[in-house]
Amino acid sequence: MAKSDRERKAAAAARPELRVAMVGHAFMGRAHGNALRQVNRFFDLPRRVVPAVVVGRDQARADAAAQQLGFERATTDLAAVLADPTIDVVDVATPNDSHHAITLAALRAKKHVLCEKPLALSTAEAVAMATLAKRQRVRTGVWHNYRRAPATALAARLIARGELGAVRQVRACYLQDWLRDPAAPASWRTERRRCGSGAHGDLDAHLIDLVRALTGLEFAAVCGLQQTFTKRRPTGTGRGTAAVDVDDAFCFLARFRGGAIGTFESSRTATGRKNHNCIEVYGERGALRWNLERLNELELFTGTGPADAQGFRTILCMDALHPYAANWWPDGHIVGYEHTFVHHLADFVRALHDGTPFRPDFQDGVAVQRVLDAALRSARTGRWVTIGR
Ligand code: SOE
């Protein structure tokens, strides 16, 4: 018998809270903040997610973010937040160079940690984070949100089911053009000390994780090539210029364990491309292609049907039987970029409560970092670099 509204509201209010402190409140902070507010409205979860506090460097700006994103309060005092026993999860939504320090402090306080990608500036940092998390027996996640578009989650399901046969080759590119203009200002994303690498760490990180998630393939060796087209940029403060010491564009070849091969391209100067995150997977019997700019669609070739009518077909992955879709709207009512963060958070909350696995966790973050670092080393030496297990 359907529950009455009153019963439903009472049941929801009775659910134990999961109180979240979010560190950082810029672009990713807004995406995470939206997910924190939406997740219980659209997913039936065993915990009620509470956006408890925004942690920022400037109190006035953090207050404004808390107000806009619906958090209870804001502070500049991270130590006090980590000492607060009512905080269950720390969400790290800051630039790359602070992921390591903030995460270690949160882990020492035995908080569960969700961290933006890439997990760290280096493999060494990522390993330290994953090792401490394991020792502290807390749950972790890395915000590789593109695993959880309905279409990419369906792609993973189809490949796991053997619809494509053994995977032989992957092609992945993530192309943007917001740095195509040399007058576009420098930022933490163009300074190696703060970001680790440019398009490579920012965008290839997503491609590496997505290929692992969809195919289960593990990288064995890579050969990289990088280029910085604009060596200095305006500082953005109106005074002088700043050196750019990271890649504008990065390409690498990959050999996977088991014999599959792959090509990867990332760029923030690919003129005309806005958010062209595109992956193609070729198997013995079938193939598929997904493009973020057509997020709800999956192109699939299975070789079925009459011989003179073969070809890729496009599936609109927004029917109730597609991953996550039933939580939103009737068949065919599409979702967007921000929904992938809600799906990510819903799965994390459920896994944390049930004690079941959540991917990508910090071990996955380490795996991504190993590939990023190996490709960077290869780009600097001009030689293939193998990747240990
Ligand atoms: C870069 O422009 C960027 O914001 C990445 O940092 C995000 O991870 C990606 O989802 C969108 O593009």
Side-chain angles (χ1 to χ4, degrees):
M1 177 176 162
K3 282 183 178 176
S4 70
D5 273 353
R6 188 173 50 77
E7 286 168 329
R8 255 204 307 274
K9 281 185 183 128
R15 282 192 194 132
E17 291 184 346
L18 192 70
R19 296 177 58 79
V20 180
M22 183 172 76
V23 189
H25 49 79
F27 173 12
M28 284 301 128
R30 292 177 64 229
H32 298 186
N34 174 67
L36 291 166
R37 297 297 298 169
Q38 293 282 61
V39 73
N40 286 105
R41 292 174 179 153
F42 288 90
F43 287 78
D44 183 16
L45 297 173
R47 302 288 289 272
R48 188 158 59 84
V49 174
V50 176
V53 55
V54 171
V55 184
R57 286 176 298 181
D58 173 90
Q59 187 64 46
R61 289 173 55 208
D63 283 336
Q67 174 72 27
Q68 183 191 33
L69 297 171
F71 282 73
E72 291 173 345
R73 65 186 180 90
T75 182
T76 58
D77 187 347
L78 175 61
V81 168
L82 298 184
D84 181 345
T86 70
I87 295 296
D88 304 299
V89 179
V90 171
D91 175 19
V92 183
T94 57
N96 304 354
D97 62 330
S98 55
H99 291 181
H100 176 255
I102 295 170
T103 296
L104 291 189
L107 293 173
R108 288 188 193 106
K110 292 192 79 75
K111 306 299 186 186
H112 305 295
V113 179
L114 280 166
C115 185
E116 255 304 322
K117 41 53 62 185
L119 184 56
L121 291 181
S122 67
T123 300
E125 281 192 353
V127 167
M129 294 155 81
T131 302
L132 183 55
K134 190 172 181 181
R135 186 182 313 140
Q136 297 291 72
R137 303 171 67 82
V138 294
R139 303 307 300 271
T140 63
V142 184
W143 286 97
H144 282 297
N145 55 300
Y146 296 122
R147 287 182 177 225
R148 292 182 161 88
T152 49
L154 175 65
R157 186 192 293 180
L158 295 174
I159 294 170
R161 219 163 61 198
E163 300 288 349
L164 272 56
V167 173
R168 290 169 163 157
Q169 190 166 351
V170 296
R171 301 178 68 227
C173 66
Y174 200 153
L175 309 176
Q176 299 176 342
D177 72 354
W178 55 279
L179 285 178
R180 71 182 181 286
D181 182 350
S187 73
W188 66 266
R189 291 175 184 266
T190 59
E191 191 182 347
R192 187 187 306 173
R193 180 180 61 83
R194 299 213 54 207
C195 63
S197 60
H200 185 51
D202 191 12
L203 304 177
D204 281 335
H206 277 305
L207 299 180
I208 294 161
D209 180 75
L210 197 52
V211 165
R212 293 185 73 242
L214 265 58
T215 67
L217 291 173
E218 291 299 349
F219 290 76
V222 291
C223 184
L225 162 69
Q226 66 180 334
Q227 183 58 284
T228 305
F229 300 108
T230 301
K231 312 284 190 200
R232 295 193 71 82
R233 290 185 174 275
T235 58
T237 60
R239 285 194 311 274
T241 62
V244 175
D245 56 358
V246 296
D247 55 289
D248 285 322
F250 201 103
C251 305
F252 68 94
L253 302 174
R255 292 186 186 286
F256 296 97
R257 297 202 186 104
I261 61 172
T263 58
F264 294 77
E265 299 170 67
S266 60
S267 176
R268 301 186 297 197
T269 54
T271 305
R273 291 296 186 192
K274 297 307 170 188
N275 210 10
H276 189 78
N277 173 354
C278 189
I279 182 167
E280 300 176 2
V281 179
Y282 295 91
E284 288 172 333
R285 287 197 305 278
L288 58 80
R289 181 176 187 273
W290 176 75
N291 171 4
L292 170 57
E293 291 173 342
R294 303 177 72 94
L295 176 140
N296 293 285
E297 298 176 4
L298 183 66
E299 295 174 51
L300 180 66
F301 179 91
T302 55
T304 53
D308 59 357
Q310 300 286 303
F312 276 85
R313 61 185 190 274
T314 300
I315 302 162
L316 181 61
C317 306
M318 276 309 298
D319 285 1
L321 44 67
H322 292 134
Y324 309 108
N327 286 81
W328 296 101
W329 319 117
D331 290 2
H333 291 64
I334 56 178
V335 294
Y337 165 76
E338 74 278 15
H339 295 79
T340 64
F341 290 88
V342 182
H343 303 163
H344 187 100
L345 182 61
D347 288 351
F348 181 77
V349 171
R350 196 170 283 123
L352 188 156
H353 179 80
D354 300 345
T356 50
F358 175 81
R359 307 289 295 275
D361 62 7
F362 279 10
Q363 291 301 338
D364 294 300
V366 169
V368 169
Q369 208 69 49
R370 288 190 195 284
V371 179
L372 289 173
D373 286 359
L376 270 173
R377 201 159 53 249
S378 172
R380 291 175 188 141
T381 62
R383 289 195 294 270
W384 278 86
V385 173
T386 57
I387 294 164
R389 292 180 187 273

